[in-house]
Amino acid sequence: MTYCPTAAPAWQALTAHAAQIKPRHLRELFAEDDQRFQHFSRSQGDLLLDFSKQRITAETLTLLQGLWREADVPGWIKRLRGGEAINHTEGRAVLHTALRRSGPEPVLFQGKDVMPDIRRVLDQMQEFCAAVHSGDWKGASGERIRDVVNIGIGGSDLGARMASLALVAEQVPDLHVHYVSNLDGAHLATTLAKLHPATTLFIVASKTFTTQETMQNARSARDWVVQKLGEKAVAHHFVAVSTNHAEVAKFGIAPQNVFEFWDWVGGRFSLWSAIGLPLALAIGFEKFSQFLAGAEAMDKHFFNAPVEENLPATLALLEVWNTNFLGAATRVLLPYSQSLEVLVSYLQQLEMESNGKQVDRDGAAVSYDTAPILWGESGTNGQHAFYQLIHQGGSLIPCEFLVLKEADYPLPGHHEMLLANCFAQSDALMRGKTVEEVRAEMAASGLSPEAVDALSPYRVFPGNQPSTTLLMSRLTPHTLGQLIALYEHKVFTLGVLWNLNSFDQWGVEFGKQLANKLLPMLEGKATVTGLDSSTAGLIAACKEN
Ligand code: F6P
């Protein structure tokens, strides 16, 4: 049956309820309930979610939980786990959770258990990691591998890159893993400038093995190896991760050097498959297994916990509240952890490629907002860049703070200062500062009444900016696995609440098609015709050189 979110009774009740909440200030809500933190925080595994600084009351939460039931999120979880083709526009199942499954039960896709294939590839990855780490895997001239370069883009890059940086404190010694994604030759050239072909191994990571950026970078890397070591060296220096065996073979990579994955793994959900190979090489297979186990723990929680306790559900419902009922157009992610720097880019793909859509599951245009624009920066760098606008710019910007209880690099004095900054920001954004407070503070500092009159308006902060703080115990493979799975399930839940197919990405295809049309014109192999004057003018200007 067709589901229309805005027609759901809970949606309508939330619309009426939002009119009561909008004029209220978070200060008042905190003043009314000194147990607000206890009432609006939940723990799961190594994560503590404090959403007491969101603009909600107990009634808001109850109404939002009603929306989860009316949208039948539990029914969609069953379809997801049952291998149904819920990515209906591509006719594909969505089974990335099977990739981190440790139990003996089968996971069926079209009547066949996918678990034996998953275990076979995991075994292959484990053997490969052991061979590279021990030095048994040798380059063409007999030297051991010192550097690994992953060539991929989007889901075939961001997840492993994000996690390798997040877990940099856990990396194996004497092996450096690099990531090249950008088509701009500067990315590959500057990476290769530091490396030696004889001791470098390339992973060409591409689900389709046809992605323009990846294939161009892979060809250039291949030339670099072949020029120095000859054609036969390709077998020693290239492995592939792909679903497209025919294209991999054309590139010249031997079948035994291919790590398979499957159509039922979406690109931006593929980190748990062989796409995670560079991560497994960076931190070792044992820690990669702990990363999978962390994700599995979150899967179990998401599948089984009631909505009242469910962390991914809570995050998704709060996003719907802020986006559809309070009118936020963006959300800012503020990881107070240098190691989580790439998380913003990773989540931009996960969230915006999944739910940045305006056509619902039934092919109809939606009448409500979907994925907010996600942006962000690691703390405290962001404080010295854009926080001014969050404090005084006048837009509603829900903030998501992410911080570790325990530092991964415990230099004396740093972590307490970092925590103080993080908590001070969410407090200031919640509380704001009234004109009376500003005037009293200025007068107490000895300023003249004239100066107080002149300067006080600039120093007022409206506050009431909602935020969530996700406190993680430590950045370990297991914790990171929980965190990433938490966001995956949040994205899935939002897709259900907004009645979207979160697993296709037709918008990305459009740009790819046009680039293929323009390329021969830029190469001088086709006449520049049929273009708008701007595009034609830009091409002509480039060709002048
Ligand atoms: O960004 C679009 C996209 O199709 C992603 O979904 C995918 O992760 C990425 O391109 C890379 O695709 P492939 O792994 O096929 O090279």
Side-chain angles (χ1 to χ4, degrees):
M1 203 182 63
T2 307
Y3 173 69
C4 174
T6 51
W11 189 285
Q12 292 176 2
L14 280 159
T15 308
H17 175 71
Q20 294 164 8
I21 293 291
K22 276 183 190 168
R24 307 213 58 195
H25 199 285
L26 273 165
R27 275 189 187 217
E28 284 168 54
L29 301 179
F30 270 91
E32 279 169 13
D33 177 6
D34 60 5
Q35 299 285 297
R36 204 173 153 81
F37 173 77
Q38 284 75 5
H39 292 148
F40 298 112
S41 61
R42 304 281 182 273
S43 290
Q44 172 55 36
D46 299 307
L47 308 179
L48 165 73
L49 184 73
D50 169 21
F51 53 100
S52 58
K53 295 191 185 91
Q54 288 290 339
R55 290 166 57 178
I56 57 167
T57 61
E59 190 187 351
T60 323
L61 208 51
T62 306
L63 290 172
L64 286 167
Q65 288 158 359
L67 202 58
W68 152 282
R69 291 186 195 95
E70 287 172 21
D72 189 25
V73 180
W76 281 99
I77 291 177
K78 271 201 198 113
R79 284 172 210 138
L80 171 93
R81 300 179 70 188
E84 230 181 81
I86 61 170
N87 174 1
H88 67 297
T89 58
E90 296 182 304
R92 289 181 184 163
V94 178
L95 281 174
H96 51 274
T97 52
L99 297 165
R100 53 232 190 183
R101 219 21 224 273
S102 61
E105 307 82 16
V107 175
L108 298 181
F109 170 62
Q110 295 178 341
K112 187 186 162 222
D113 182 11
V114 297
M115 292 311 298
D117 276 343
I118 292 173
R119 289 193 199 104
R120 172 178 52 79
V121 176
L122 281 172
D123 288 347
Q124 185 193 2
M125 287 169 69
Q126 183 170 16
E127 274 173 36
F128 181 69
C129 288
V132 172
H133 292 150
S134 65
D136 285 350
W137 181 287
K138 303 227 183 304
S141 53
E143 289 185 64
R144 70 180 294 160
I145 298 300
R146 303 274 175 207
D147 292 277
V148 172
V149 181
N150 188 75
I151 297 180
I153 196 163
S156 300
D157 163 68
L158 278 167
R161 183 149 65 88
M162 171 276 297
S164 296
L165 178 65
L167 300 174
V168 71
E170 312 261 352
Q171 70 190 3
V172 299
D174 303 327
L175 185 73
H176 301 283
V177 179
H178 314 260
Y179 291 86
V180 171
S181 54
N182 202 322
L183 186 53
D184 183 348
H187 202 177
L188 183 67
T190 54
T191 305
L192 296 188
K194 296 169 273 183
L195 310 182
H196 304 287
T199 54
T200 301
L201 178 82
F202 292 90
I203 302 173
V204 185
S206 176
K207 184 174 171 180
T208 55
F209 228 73
T210 56
T211 302
Q212 195 185 46
E213 295 91 333
T214 300
M215 297 326 297
Q216 185 57 32
N217 277 323
R219 279 190 293 269
S220 298
R222 194 182 191 284
D223 290 347
W224 183 73
V225 168
V226 168
Q227 263 172 25
K228 295 272 169 29
L229 302 170
E231 190 66 35
K232 285 198 179 137
V234 173
H236 301 263
H237 293 270
F238 282 84
V239 301
V241 181
S242 187
T243 59
N244 189 343
H245 299 274
E247 284 300 319
V248 175
K250 274 193 219 158
F251 187 86
I253 295 177
Q256 67 272 19
N257 293 342
V258 182
F259 296 82
E260 188 186 11
F261 69 117
W262 309 272
D263 259 357
W264 42 260
V265 185
R268 51 191 173 274
F269 299 86
S270 62
L271 169 59
W272 324 95
S273 70
I275 288 290
L277 185 61
L279 173 64
L281 284 166
I283 61 174
F285 191 81
E286 201 182 315
K287 287 183 178 167
F288 181 72
S289 303
Q290 293 164 12
F291 175 64
L292 299 185
E296 187 186 24
M298 184 54 71
D299 294 343
K300 287 184 178 156
H301 165 73
F302 177 61
F303 295 155
N304 301 315
V307 61
E308 293 79 9
E309 301 301 323
N310 200 307
L311 251 57
T314 304
L315 277 181
L317 291 168
L318 291 169
E319 185 124 310
V320 166
W321 172 245
N322 285 325
T323 307
N324 301 105
F325 299 98
L326 298 187
T330 78
R331 177 173 118 256
V332 64
L333 185 75
L334 305 163
Y336 275 66
S337 161
Q338 185 61 25
S339 304
L340 289 175
E341 200 187 11
V342 183
L343 187 68
V344 177
S345 307
Y346 172 77
L347 287 184
Q348 281 176 328
Q349 188 199 15
L350 184 65
E351 298 195 4
M352 298 201 282
E353 199 168 271
S354 296
N355 289 330
K357 292 165 190 171
Q358 283 287 290
V359 172
D360 72 12
R361 286 203 140 262
D362 309 297
V366 303
S367 59
Y368 42 88
D369 290 330
T370 57
I373 296 162
L374 178 65
W375 53 293
E377 170 65 276
S378 62
T380 59
N381 293 352
Q383 288 178 207
H384 296 271
F386 52 74
Y387 276 45
Q388 163 62 35
L389 180 142
I390 308 178
H391 282 290
Q392 290 187 308
S395 303
L396 173 65
I397 303 176
C399 304
E400 194 157 292
F401 293 93
L402 247 147
V403 69
L404 311 175
K405 275 194 219 170
E406 217 180 288
D408 46 355
Y409 284 90
L411 292 190
H414 285 246
H415 201 61
E416 291 72 17
M417 226 182 255
L418 189 71
L419 289 171
N421 271 277
C422 176
F423 300 155
Q425 288 297 332
S426 67
D427 188 35
L429 288 165
M430 178 275 281
R431 189 184 298 280
K433 206 184 264 184
T434 64
V435 70
E436 294 76 25
E437 286 168 337
V438 172
R439 292 182 70 87
E441 202 178 271
M442 291 175 82
S445 74
L447 282 175
S448 68
E450 294 73 30
V452 171
D453 283 344
L455 294 175
S456 56
Y458 301 100
R459 301 192 185 188
V460 171
F461 295 88
N464 212 21
Q465 199 70 286
S467 73
T468 293
T469 300
L470 196 54
L471 188 62
M472 302 166 65
S473 40
R474 268 182 64 216
L475 205 42
T476 64
H478 197 268
T479 323
L480 187 70
Q482 291 170 53
L483 180 76
I484 301 307
L486 165 75
Y487 281 112
E488 285 184 347
H489 294 314
K490 175 201 162 183
V491 163
F492 165 78
T493 305
L494 279 167
V496 176
L497 296 171
W498 285 323
N499 195 30
L500 302 172
N501 175 2
S502 304
F503 303 102
D504 60 10
Q505 56 283 319
W506 298 105
V508 186
E509 304 304 322
F510 182 42
K512 287 188 195 171
Q513 272 173 12
L514 280 184
N516 285 332
K517 179 178 155 193
L518 298 188
L519 179 61
M521 299 183 193
L522 277 151
E523 288 173 335
K525 294 179 186 161
T527 40
V528 180
T529 175
L531 302 178
D532 63 82
S533 64
S534 162
T535 311
L538 291 168
I539 291 178
C542 288
K543 287 175 77 174
E544 274 168 19
N545 293 343

